[in-house]
Amino acid sequence: MSINRNATADLCSEGVAGNIEGNEVTPLLTYGSAPPKGASFASSVFNLMNAIMGSGILGLAYVMANTGILGFCILLLLVSTLAAYSIHLLLKLCDQTGINSYEELGGRALQKPGKVLVGISIIIQNMGAMSSYLFILKSELPAAIDSFLNPESIGWVRETLSAHFSANKDISFLNLSQLHAWYEDGRLLLVLVTLCVVLPLSMLPKIGFLSYTSSIAFFFMLYFAIVVVVKKWSIPCPLPHNVTTLSGAFKISNSSDSECTPKLFAISSKSGYAIPTMAFSFLCHTAILPIYCELDRPTKARMQNITNISIGLSFLLYLISALFGYLTFYAHVDSELLLGYDAYMPRDIMVMVVRLAILLAVLLTVPLIHFPARKAAILLLFGGRPFSWLIHIFATLIILGGVLLLAIVVPDIRNVFGVVGSTTSTLLLFVFPGMFYLKLNTGPLRSFDSIGAILMVVVGVVMGILSFSSIVITWAQNS
């Protein structure tokens, strides 16, 4: 069955994927005699890149430290290639079936259980992604504001009073917490930015409206990669000892000259986070079909070109930032790269600006990732009902509330990358596209795409099991 691609905008909208009955396609929203003009090629590229890039760029240097440079490059190329190929399978299925929703593809392939499984996976994946973004805001935004508003006095006052308290036990009645300004409370700032920025942008009814914020976020990410390259030569190796972070705490480094030699390959218990973090970093499949639906003159070839450009540019930025981040800190890379610069260059103006830029980029990404999660939730709970502002607002508030709570509770961003990446990211990136293609494709089983789909399913299952097992073992050893 084929479908007129010029009618794609009529067949796809948030929570309004077309109802497919045999060969009949019934749009749930119509726009009259002519559909509105869709999103441009460039804006779609920015939106897709913004869906791809986010907090993952901060964790890839940590992955390189635990896999080695060549090992990292091989894995990054493998995951990015599989991501582009799995999108090719999804777009091909869209053209063959006329379905333009990831959840509906699951329903067509595996009936209602498939639709529910895909919907739940999308919700968990995107809520995990959003919580990781908000976690970064919670941990980094207070330090960023503090560095601009009070760059010199706070750390000195804290050190002086701490030394004074240790020498004079009789002045314990003084309350150190009084030194903290309100903007140093990461949880309070997180609530404020969610209400003032994330919530209004998340209320927008179409994903195409976010193309302007997505373009801004991309240039922030580009600036981050440039700063990581430049600052490689500003931090000595071996790393200095007993440095003071922006928050006034001491961070002890035990670097030696031998640690300043980069490793080409490395294997450790922490290597289990490699594939999940990469899968997390390249997963844009939940946003690919909504973007496809709103594309001007939508065709499979046009959307595949958008995908290839977006993944290619993201690959370059990921590789550059991970490589130079690793060559700066070597084995002492934090699971969140910005924390290293916070420790060794807390007052550097470029670091201060890039910290603020990456926070703004992450902040602007949250509404884009929220869109597919809300679409999946509405589709599962309310089926094919026409668009309703009441349902739209209710779903937005519930999802953002859950994400906000998760971001406040999570102690380490690495846990989000690992668990979500090894489960839902692996399913959505590798397993589901291959499985659905094998189930719905009418072509021969020995064709190139069918063989590729089989390999996708096998690779996804094996990678997911091995990665999740490694992460659980690491937790058990640490506990």
Side-chain angles (χ1 to χ4, degrees):
M1 186 189 72
S2 61
I3 184 171
N4 183 359
R5 303 308 304 159
N6 291 327
T8 305
D10 288 337
L11 301 175
C12 313
S13 185
E14 181 194 348
V16 293
N19 289 329
I20 312 294
E21 296 293 343
N23 292 329
E24 182 182 356
V25 180
T26 305
L28 299 177
L29 280 183
T30 56
Y31 300 95
S33 58
K37 182 177 176 60
S40 67
F41 187 95
S43 65
S44 298
V45 169
F46 282 127
N47 265 341
L48 189 55
M49 284 196 65
N50 198 19
I52 296 172
M53 302 186 68
S55 58
I57 198 172
L58 301 177
L60 289 177
Y62 178 83
V63 172
M64 181 176 284
N66 292 289
T67 56
I69 295 177
L70 287 182
F72 176 88
C73 292
I74 293 172
L75 290 176
L76 191 70
L77 182 61
L78 174 65
V79 173
S80 61
T81 302
L82 290 176
Y85 182 69
S86 62
I87 291 174
H88 159 73
L89 295 180
L90 287 178
L91 294 177
K92 190 171 182 179
L93 285 178
C94 284
D95 273 2
Q96 290 180 357
T97 64
I99 298 175
N100 294 286
S101 164
Y102 207 155
E103 301 89 337
E104 294 292 351
L105 284 176
R108 173 64 69 88
L110 303 175
Q111 306 305 318
K112 187 174 181 179
K115 180 178 179 179
V116 172
L117 183 60
V118 173
I120 292 176
S121 298
I122 290 175
I123 293 171
I124 294 175
Q125 158 64 34
N126 286 28
M127 288 187 68
M130 288 187 286
S131 67
S132 72
Y133 299 164
L134 295 183
F135 177 89
I136 293 172
L137 289 169
K138 180 187 72 174
S139 59
E140 291 289 340
L141 191 55
I145 296 177
D146 187 45
S147 65
F148 282 100
L149 296 183
N150 199 3
E152 297 181 2
S153 60
I154 292 179
W156 175 83
V157 171
R158 285 181 183 155
E159 290 179 23
T160 302
L161 287 180
S162 297
H164 190 58
F165 287 155
S166 62
N168 300 276
K169 303 299 183 182
D170 59 331
I171 57 173
S172 57
F173 60 88
L174 290 176
N175 186 4
L176 273 176
S177 63
Q178 293 177 353
L179 293 174
H180 292 265
W182 65 270
Y183 56 79
E184 294 184 60
D185 187 342
R187 292 172 296 182
L188 176 59
L189 287 178
L190 190 58
V191 173
L192 289 177
V193 297
T194 300
L195 292 177
C196 297
V197 180
V198 177
L199 181 60
L201 290 176
S202 298
M203 286 294 181
L204 295 175
K206 282 195 171 186
I207 201 169
F209 294 150
L210 299 172
S211 59
Y212 299 104
T213 59
S214 296
S215 61
I216 296 173
F218 165 72
F219 288 109
F220 284 156
M221 292 289 185
L222 179 61
Y223 177 66
F224 171 79
I226 293 173
V227 171
V228 171
V229 173
V230 172
K231 291 304 175 182
K232 165 33 185 120
W233 287 274
S234 300
I235 298 178
C237 191
L239 296 173
H241 294 260
N242 299 338
V243 296
T244 304
T245 66
L246 199 61
S247 61
F250 286 102
K251 179 174 181 176
I252 300 176
S253 171
N254 296 317
S255 297
S256 61
D257 291 327
S258 61
E259 293 181 348
C260 297
T261 302
K263 297 179 181 179
L264 297 182
F265 291 96
I267 297 178
S268 67
S269 61
K270 297 177 182 178
S271 300
Y273 289 92
I275 294 296
T277 303
M278 290 180 181
F280 190 95
S281 300
F282 277 104
L283 184 66
C284 57
H285 297 53
T286 58
I288 194 77
L289 297 182
I291 293 174
Y292 185 26
C293 289
E294 297 185 14
L295 177 64
D296 185 34
R297 294 181 289 112
T299 63
K300 177 183 177 298
R302 186 172 168 83
M303 191 64 210
Q304 190 67 55
N305 288 335
I306 291 173
T307 300
N308 295 339
I309 292 173
S310 301
I311 291 181
L313 291 175
S314 300
F315 177 90
L316 289 176
L317 289 182
Y318 279 158
L319 181 60
I320 292 172
S321 59
L323 176 62
F324 284 89
Y326 168 63
L327 293 178
T328 302
F329 300 105
Y330 294 93
H332 296 277
V333 176
D334 280 290
S335 59
E336 185 187 327
L337 185 58
L338 282 175
L339 295 178
Y341 297 101
D342 177 19
Y344 298 101
M345 307 182 71
R347 304 302 175 193
D348 184 89
I349 186 62
M350 287 188 70
V351 172
M352 292 163 60
V353 173
V354 78
R355 180 186 290 114
L356 191 59
I358 204 72
L359 291 177
L360 290 174
V362 165
L363 180 63
L364 295 176
T365 303
V366 174
L368 186 70
I369 303 301
H370 178 274
F371 188 97
R374 181 181 58 214
K375 174 180 175 291
I378 292 176
L379 192 61
L380 289 181
L381 296 177
F382 300 100
R385 291 187 183 183
F387 177 81
S388 166
W389 274 108
L390 181 61
I391 295 176
H392 179 91
I393 295 173
F394 175 76
T396 300
L397 294 176
I398 292 298
I399 292 175
L400 281 184
V403 169
L404 187 61
L405 180 62
L406 190 61
I408 292 175
V409 173
V410 170
D412 190 343
I413 193 175
R414 183 180 62 176
N415 297 329
V416 178
F417 288 152
V419 175
V420 176
S422 61
T423 53
T424 57
S425 295
T426 304
L427 288 174
L428 293 168
L429 183 63
F430 302 118
V431 179
F432 287 160
M435 184 187 301
F436 296 165
Y437 185 83
L438 293 173
K439 185 70 174 178
L440 298 177
N441 183 47
T442 57
L445 189 60
R446 294 185 178 181
S447 65
F448 177 82
D449 282 338
S450 295
I451 295 174
I454 294 173
L455 292 177
M456 289 273 294
V457 174
V458 173
V459 169
V461 171
V462 172
M463 285 183 175
I465 293 175
L466 291 178
S467 298
F468 188 73
S469 300
S470 176
I471 292 168
V472 171
I473 292 172
T474 301
W475 286 352
Q477 291 174 344
N478 291 338
S479 63

